[in-house]
Structure formats: C-alpha cells, structure tokens
Amino acid sequence: LLPGALVAAFMMPVAGKLASLFDPRRVLAAGGLVLVLGLWQLTALSPDTGASDLAWPLVVRSLGTALMFLPLNLATLGPLPTREVAAASSFFNLTRQLGGSIGVALLTTLLTQREAFHRAVLTEKLVMNDPLTQERLGLYTQKFVNSGFSLVDAQNKALALLDAIVNQQAAVLSFADTFWAVAALVLVCLPLVVFLGRPVRGVKVDMGH
C-alpha cells in the first residue's frame, strides 16, 4: 500500500497545477480513465498474487484517484459565487461522505453475494466420483498421514483443506467481481462531468477534508 500512498501524496499538488492549467473537467475525466485502468489490473487477482503483483495496480489506482479528487472539487465548487462556496463546500463534503458510506455498504453486499455464488459454482464441480477430485483428496490425505495423523483424521483434514481452498478461490473471484463493478460504474458516471460547471479563474475553493 505504501507506494500507492506516496504516489497519491506526490500527485495532489500536480493535480492542482493541472486543474489550474486545463479545464478541471478534462483532468477529472482523465483521472477516471486511469482509475478504471488500475481497477482492471486488479481484476487479474489469483491465489498466487503477491505484494509485487498488487503494487503497480495500486499505484495506478492512486494516480487516478489523485487526478480526480482536486479537479472534482474545483469543477463542483469553482463556478459558484464566492459567498456560496463555504455552504456548498460543507454540503459537498457531506454528500461525498454519505455516498462513500453507501458505496462501501453496497460493495460489501455485492462481495458477500458473489462469494456465495462462486462457492456454489465451485462446489458443484467437486463430486466424489470425479477422478481429479479423488486424486487431489488422495494427495492431501497422504500428506497428513505422512505427518503422523491416522487415516480417518487425515481424510477429515484433507476435506477441510479442500474446503478452505474453495473458500479462498471464491473470495478471490468475488473481489475481482467488485473491481469490475466499480470500474463499470466509473465509466458509466464519467459522461456526467459535462454537467459540471467551468470554474471562474481566480476563485479560491475551500477543499475541506
């Protein structure tokens, strides 16, 4: 996570400079596309994915998020009269936090549902008369027997290990589904930037937290 955090910290002033040189709506759209790219890279998760495989997609994600955050504030609050910026900033921060909470709840629900779906699909493939399943269970059982367990205990542990592997695969697939969902949502919402106003040059915007 650290490389992505460092990139986000570095890009915040850069995004502010870009938003002052170009139409913030264009910078926002570019950031959204970069974010979609990072999310698409994260959909390639597998149980063999390591820290090095996650680092670059998270860097790309942080880059896209940084390019969206400041321009979004400028495009939202910049066109407003100065006397209305403070109240609008408070309302904007409230809606952003509320939207974030709703988004987390929806994604958590999606994650749970997709994990149950993938587990059901995977378990349908694991029938006891399947040669590959029998071979895998036999290997696991022999491994536990070699470790000193009785045959019955080794068979039970082999079944538990196979169940844990199925759960792991289902979890990985469900996370990939959520990344796809977020990427699709960002793409669908990007055209809405045309409805944002163009900030008036020289207007200072209270960015809030």
Side-chain angles (χ1 to χ4, degrees):
L1 295 176
L2 182 59
L6 294 176
V7 168
F10 173 78
M11 283 301 301
M12 291 303 282
V14 175
K17 184 66 175 178
L18 291 175
S20 65
L21 295 175
F22 304 99
D23 187 338
R25 295 172 296 182
R26 294 185 178 183
V27 182
L28 172 60
L33 294 176
V34 174
L35 176 59
V36 168
L37 174 61
L39 293 169
W40 174 75
Q41 292 175 326
L42 288 171
T43 60
L45 288 174
S46 75
D48 297 325
T49 299
S52 59
D53 301 311
L54 285 173
W56 283 111
L58 292 176
V59 165
V60 175
R61 186 200 65 171
S62 296
L63 177 62
T65 303
L67 288 175
M68 293 180 68
F69 180 75
L70 186 59
L72 178 60
N73 281 267
L74 290 174
T76 303
L77 304 177
L80 297 176
T82 304
R83 66 180 182 277
E84 297 179 2
V85 168
S89 178
S90 299
F91 182 72
F92 175 69
N93 289 329
L94 172 64
T95 55
R96 188 179 62 195
Q97 293 174 8
L98 181 61
S101 299
I102 294 174
V104 169
L106 291 176
L107 286 177
T108 301
T109 302
L110 175 64
L111 184 67
T112 302
Q113 292 178 344
R114 295 302 295 176
E115 185 172 358
F117 168 79
H118 287 300
R119 176 175 169 77
V121 172
L122 291 172
T123 52
E124 286 180 358
K125 311 295 182 181
L126 297 176
V127 291
M128 293 306 298
N129 59 355
D130 177 54
L132 292 177
T133 302
Q134 292 178 349
E135 180 183 1
R136 181 63 61 90
L137 283 175
L139 290 173
Y140 293 158
T141 301
Q142 188 61 45
K143 175 183 177 180
F144 287 116
V145 168
N146 294 339
S147 299
F149 293 93
S150 67
L151 180 60
V152 175
D153 290 340
Q155 290 175 338
N156 291 333
K157 287 186 175 295
L159 289 172
L161 178 58
L162 187 61
D163 182 66
I165 292 174
V166 170
N167 289 335
Q168 182 188 48
Q169 292 278 3
V172 170
L173 291 171
S174 61
F175 271 101
D177 288 346
T178 59
F179 289 130
W180 276 117
V182 175
L185 182 61
V186 173
L187 281 177
V188 169
C189 291
L190 274 183
L192 296 178
V193 299
V194 299
F195 295 103
L196 296 173
R198 184 175 185 135
V200 179
R201 288 189 175 275
V203 174
K204 295 183 179 181
V205 176
D206 179 14
M207 303 311 299
H209 296 285

